[in-house]
Amino acid sequence: MTILVIAEHDNKVLAPATLNTVAAAAKIGGDVHVLVAGQGASAVAEAAAKIAGVAKVLSADNAAYAHQLPENIAPLVAELGKGYSHILAAATSNGKNILPRVAAALDVDQISEIISVESADTFKRPIYAGNAIATVQSNAAVKVITVRATGFDPVAAEGGSAAIEAVGAAHDAGISSFVNEELAKSDRPELTAAKIVVSGGRGMQNGDNFKHLYALADKLGAAVGASRAAVDAGFVPNDMQVGQTGKIVAPQLYIAVGISGAIQHLAGMKDSKVIVAINKDEEAPIFQVADYGLVADLFEAIPELEKLV
Amino acid sequence: MKVLVAVKRAIDPNVKVRVKADGSDVELNGVKMALNPFCEIAVEEAIRLKEKGLASEVVVVSVGTSAAQEQLRTALALGADRAVLVETNALLEPLNVAKYLSKVIDQEKPQLILFGKQAIDQENNQVGQMVAQLIGSGQATYASAINHVDWQWVVEREVDGGSQVVALAMPAVVTCDLRLNQPRYASLPNIMKAKKKPLEIIAADTLGASVKEHARLLGVVPPAVRKAGINVGSVAELVDKLKNVAGVI
């Protein structure tokens, strides 16, 4: 068995989610190859070659792959993937965008967001907003799988010394083009990889009040997240949303501030090790999953908390 | 210009699902069903394109049992012109659904095919992408704005770090994210009118799609239950617990 892992990157830096995906590949067993498709991404290929347990890195460097357009990358992955038993990618917006196209090109189904590997063909994945865990067995010739990063501890980023092999194949479907992108700039840790996450909800009342959370987060070295209510109300941008339709996080500590705890929000954070809820409504459902609950006005509690930590 | 919208009958998002006692699946008997919320957003967007004069016809399509007619009628009441049900009692695996839909798309020849980004039941987030591959179209997943510029679809997408804009040749597949729009409610007169709109039923096996079973569901279990927590009386006590009991700060 040989497993192909699609590297998640921005042409400059290898994203940490790749390490969790390699960890899932290691659980399946067999040689692990990593594909770095991009443009001018040699630093990423070198970083991928250093990942512990990676046997080979395939580097497809071409202008057509610069922006991870699925119309161009999927045919490449499908072509390379025919010789593999499994094709894995992180369940990031890129992975979820590209991999179903690969599966369709190979005429196999895809298994989405696995959280555990039972055997080489059997996997566990959450369904119904995390309210049920399904065990599925795939009979596909090539198993195409996206991996939920929080389900697997990352492998070491250093320690490997895989050979880098250039892949010449260039696919340019010519039916889509990249126009531009706007990425939020933040000095805080990335939400899905942070050890501590502080999230605000509708109870924050406005975007300006999020400054209290930022101050607390900076003191804790934490990332800042939000509920859908806070995003929809325009308090913060939508890439901060934690939940079924936003990001899935599982930090050591999750502090939910002014968040009621709807099913859809819990789907994104209930695997956190320790959950703290700060809410003035003692009936809020968030208290049912919180390890430590504090019924208090957040505008008094948060500044005090910031002083004490 | 024709817009086709694929919709799914799914569990109502406000229902808390329960796993069956025998662990074979979740309990769906007697549970309230609805139009998948992301599909509602896709239908709304199609109707808005029609109201802007960009779309001449909006066709809604669903793959599923005959009960899915109810959700197609809902889409018609919201403003779609006609509906197609690809009827099957088989389990709805994403690739098979995508194959049925691509056959319908071959017949209908729409210039834009809209999907929800995922169904809230199986949470696969696959069918739109698979259809795009099968029909050889470009795709824009997780759309938060759709514009039509110079014979291309220019779509803003929600991606992990922020937003991205891509341009797609026609026909194109777009899957809709939460923030694309706020779906409208169906008015009573429109619900009455929807009963008279055409709804065609096609037996899935007459479409000539080569479907097969790809995966087996071995069982379903409820997620691990979290140990009951405690309420603390003050911020100082909270900090003490986090430092000295949980050891997380």
Side-chain angles (χ1 to χ4, degrees):
Chain A
M1 276 196 316
T2 315
I3 301 165
L4 183 64
V5 169
I6 317 301
E8 169 83 17
H9 67 92
D10 61 357
N11 291 319
K12 296 183 197 80
V13 182
L14 184 75
T18 310
L19 302 175
N20 307 74
T21 313
V22 171
K27 287 237 166 85
I28 294 168
D31 278 352
V32 179
H33 295 179
V34 175
L35 170 68
V36 178
Q39 186 185 25
S42 57
V44 178
E46 281 159 29
K50 288 190 193 130
I51 300 174
V54 171
K56 185 158 82 174
V57 173
L58 304 174
S59 163
D61 211 297
N62 192 288
Y65 309 139
H67 300 289
Q68 304 288 318
L69 290 175
E71 297 80 4
N72 301 346
I73 294 201
L76 169 75
V77 177
E79 183 186 307
L80 294 172
K82 283 199 178 93
Y84 289 88
S85 61
H86 299 71
I87 303 173
L88 269 57
T92 55
S93 52
N94 260 336
K96 293 191 282 195
N97 196 28
I98 294 168
L99 234 53
R101 257 192 113 104
V102 173
L106 293 170
D107 198 26
V108 296
D109 224 351
Q110 184 205 290
I111 302 178
S112 294
E113 306 225 12
I114 62 162
I115 53 168
S116 92
V117 173
E118 304 298 296
S119 73
D121 67 359
T122 306
F123 309 92
K124 285 196 167 154
R125 57 178 301 262
I127 52 176
Y128 294 90
N131 287 305
I133 310 295
T135 305
V136 289
Q137 185 174 39
S138 164
N139 61 21
V142 183
K143 288 157 187 71
V144 179
I145 297 166
T146 60
V147 175
R148 182 172 287 189
T150 55
F152 300 87
D153 292 329
V155 296
E158 302 281 337
S161 58
I164 300 175
E165 193 177 289
V167 176
H171 295 269
D172 190 347
I175 47 176
S176 61
S177 56
F178 169 85
V179 179
N180 64 50
E181 67 188 351
E182 272 175 49
L183 300 180
K185 287 190 182 64
S186 171
D187 300 330
R188 293 186 190 88
E190 211 253 318
L191 195 52
T192 53
K195 290 208 162 45
I196 303 178
V197 173
V198 181
S199 279
R202 200 193 304 272
M204 297 306 297
Q205 295 178 4
N206 59 51
D208 192 42
N209 284 336
F210 263 72
K211 66 178 186 239
H212 301 298
L213 296 191
Y214 294 135
L216 174 62
D218 289 343
K219 198 92 175 272
L220 291 166
V224 179
S227 70
R228 179 183 168 187
V231 173
D232 282 352
F235 299 173
V236 290
N238 53 35
D239 56 283
M240 285 171 64
Q241 186 180 333
V242 171
Q244 183 186 20
T245 62
K247 297 202 167 96
I248 312 288
V249 301
Q252 295 289 306
L253 172 61
Y254 188 91
I255 305 179
V257 183
I259 292 176
S260 65
I263 297 174
Q264 290 81 4
H265 185 74
L266 301 183
M269 46 63 81
K270 68 181 177 188
D271 292 325
S272 305
K273 186 164 172 266
V274 175
I275 297 173
V276 170
I278 300 174
N279 204 306
K280 65 180 175 192
D281 173 14
E282 58 186 305
E283 302 292 321
I286 191 78
F287 286 115
Q288 290 162 21
V289 299
D291 299 280
Y292 301 107
L294 176 63
V295 180
D297 183 347
L298 67 95
F299 295 107
E300 287 162 21
I302 295 302
E304 193 184 344
L305 184 56
E306 191 213 325
K307 265 188 222 115
L308 291 177
V309 294
Chain B
M1 174 144 55
K2 191 193 278 187
V3 178
L4 186 140
V5 190
V7 299
K8 185 177 187 183
R9 172 182 168 89
I11 194 163
D12 184 283
N14 299 313
V15 170
K16 185 150 170 53
V17 297
R18 277 176 223 291
V19 171
K20 281 185 187 169
D22 65 359
S24 60
D25 205 341
V26 299
E27 185 58 72
L28 291 178
N29 258 341
V31 170
K32 190 174 173 224
M33 303 295 276
L35 193 55
N36 177 47
F38 291 99
C39 301
E40 250 184 310
I41 295 171
V43 171
E44 173 68 28
E45 193 64 17
I47 295 160
R48 289 188 189 188
L49 288 170
K50 194 176 170 191
E51 287 168 348
K52 278 188 220 163
L54 269 169
S56 51
E57 189 184 28
V58 174
V59 183
V60 284
V61 184
S62 191
V63 179
T65 62
S66 95
Q69 288 181 62
E70 190 189 330
Q71 278 63 45
L72 287 171
R73 290 284 174 208
T74 303
L76 292 170
L78 291 169
D81 296 300
R82 63 188 171 86
V84 177
L85 172 65
V86 177
E87 195 175 341
T88 172
N89 291 319
L91 205 65
L92 299 175
E93 287 196 33
L95 185 58
N96 293 341
V97 172
K99 284 179 174 175
Y100 291 135
L101 289 173
S102 58
K103 293 286 181 191
V104 175
I105 290 163
D106 283 348
Q107 292 171 9
E108 297 281 347
K109 299 187 174 45
Q111 279 75 46
L112 178 67
I113 304 123
L114 293 174
F115 288 84
K117 79 161 176 179
Q118 68 187 50
I120 59 161
D121 47 11
Q122 296 299 317
E123 303 196 313
N124 282 311
N125 192 331
Q126 297 176 14
V127 176
Q129 294 92 312
M130 286 176 159
V131 165
Q133 172 66 30
L134 293 174
I135 65 171
S137 279
Q139 72 184 46
T141 48
Y142 324 131
S144 55
I146 303 176
N147 293 297
H148 188 249
V149 185
D150 297 336
W151 296 98
Q152 285 191 314
W153 292 106
V154 177
V155 183
E156 185 176 313
R157 308 177 51 224
E158 293 189 12
V159 294
D160 284 340
S163 69
Q164 183 191 61
V165 180
V166 293
L168 306 170
M170 297 201 289
V173 168
V174 177
T175 80
C176 302
D177 215 323
L178 271 180
R179 271 162 286 275
L180 181 59
N181 60 46
Q182 186 67 47
R184 70 193 67 188
Y185 292 100
S187 66
L188 190 58
N190 285 344
I191 293 171
M192 300 311 287
K193 269 189 232 159
K195 290 184 177 163
K196 295 206 175 70
K197 288 184 179 175
L199 193 163
E200 182 191 0
I201 298 176
I202 304 173
D205 52 15
T206 62
L207 282 169
S210 66
V211 298
K212 56 180 184 255
E213 190 194 81
H214 300 91
R216 254 180 350 125
L217 180 66
L218 298 184
V220 172
V221 292
V225 180
R226 290 187 73 93
K227 208 160 47 88
I230 56 162
N231 270 8
V232 293
S234 69
V235 174
E237 189 186 343
L238 174 64
V239 172
D240 175 64
K241 296 280 190 209
L242 292 178
K243 276 189 178 152
N244 302 321
V245 182
V248 285
I249 56 171

